[in-house]
Amino acid sequence: EVVLTQSPGSLSLSPGERATLSCRASQSVITTYLAWYQQKPGQAPRLLMKGTSIRAPGFPDRFSGSGSGTDFTLTISGLEPDDFAVYYCFYYGSAPWTFGQGTKVEIK
Amino acid sequence: QVQLQESGPGLVKPSQTLSLTCTVSGGTVDTGGHFWTWVRQRPGAGLEWIGYIYYTRSTHYNPSLESRVTISLDTSLNQVSLKLTSVSAADTALYFCTWGLDQWGPGTLVTVSS
């Protein structure tokens, strides 16, 4: 079973700053099956990235994903007010599928 | 575009069975290519994957819930169902159904309380 550990738990940044979110897997995973979700209060999660680095429709190119093996990163270059949310990594390459515990990106 | 709507009792008593349905529109539950999944979110907490079912009826569940959970398809009603037995307060959560990675219902809140 793959366990995903996200860090930091929360990030306090100002608009315009760069956010770097980490997701570490307990074992090497297949990049094809690593995704990221964005969740805002009162809403269902929204797929942000799949296949480690493929942005979902509707997300601008200030969002980028990278990584391989056990270490994955979501980078938001130049935070916009709409980007402040909770971000989850998710692995679905082998059952049981699993979410990281989330990183909250807050306005400083 | 597939749309999903979860429904079920908002309040369940401890030790009883939680039963939820996810009504699908814009597609059919026996469509291949993606998995029907249930995910839950306890109040103030992160996302927890409950399990999935494929159109072939193949299922896989979170080991922490496996002994209590059943996910099934009802093609006549075009619904995906979730049953969770012997519930406790720890099962109080917002329950989401999903199709593939990017189609989510709005979620339904279930409170376990006497």
Side-chain angles (χ1 to χ4, degrees), chain B residues 6-11 19-21 108-110:
Chain B
E6 304 90 346
S7 60
L11 182 64
S19 295
L20 299 176
T21 57
T108 188
L109 179 63
V110 178

Side-chain angles (χ1 to χ4, degrees), chain B residues 5-22:
Chain B
Q5 181 66 57
E6 304 90 346
S7 60
L11 182 64
V12 180
K13 288 182 167 45
S15 80
Q16 292 190 342
T17 296
L18 179 163
S19 295
L20 299 176
T21 57
C22 174

Side-chain angles (χ1 to χ4, degrees), chain B residues 52-66:
Chain B
Y52 70 61
I53 187 166
Y54 199 48
Y55 78 103
T56 57
R57 305 304 197 269
S58 169
T59 57
H60 207 109
Y61 302 124
N62 187 320
S64 68
L65 299 169
E66 188 164 21

Side-chain angles (χ1 to χ4, degrees), chain B residues 2 5-6 9 16 18 21 23 29 32 37 42 46 51 54 66-69 73 91 97-99 104 109 114:
Chain B
V2 171
Q5 181 66 57
E6 304 90 346
Q16 292 190 342
L18 179 163
T21 57
T23 301
V29 298
T37 301
R42 295 187 178 101
Y54 199 48
E66 188 164 21
S67 63
R68 299 193 292 127
V69 68
L73 299 179
D91 296 308
C97 70
T98 89
W99 183 70
W104 289 60
L109 179 63
S114 55

Side-chain angles (χ1 to χ4, degrees), chain A residues 1 35 37 39 42-47 49-51 88 90 92 95-101, chain B residues 35 37 39 41 45-49 52 60-63 94 96 100-102 104-107:
Chain A
E1 177 178 345
Y37 284 91
Q39 188 180 32
Q43 297 182 16
R46 183 182 170 198
L47 179 67
M49 199 83 64
K50 66 179 182 181
Y88 296 93
F90 176 60
Y92 57 106
W97 298 354
T98 182
F99 289 94
Q101 79 277 25
Chain B
F35 295 85
T37 301
V39 173
Q41 187 167 36
L47 302 170
E48 181 181 21
W49 179 77
Y52 70 61
H60 207 109
Y61 302 124
N62 187 320
L94 185 59
F96 297 99
L101 295 179
D102 59 349
W104 289 60

Side-chain angles (χ1 to χ4, degrees), chain A residues 45-98:
Chain A
R46 183 182 170 198
L47 179 67
L48 165 59
M49 199 83 64
K50 66 179 182 181
T52 298
S53 60
I54 302 169
R55 269 191 318 279
F59 284 96
D61 59 7
R62 64 177 180 272
F63 290 91
S64 63
S66 63
S68 63
T70 60
D71 292 314
F72 296 84
T73 300
L74 175 69
T75 302
I76 312 171
S77 306
L79 281 162
E80 297 278 340
D82 192 47
D83 301 337
F84 292 93
V86 181
Y87 294 85
Y88 296 93
C89 56
F90 176 60
Y91 185 67
Y92 57 106
S94 58
W97 298 354
T98 182

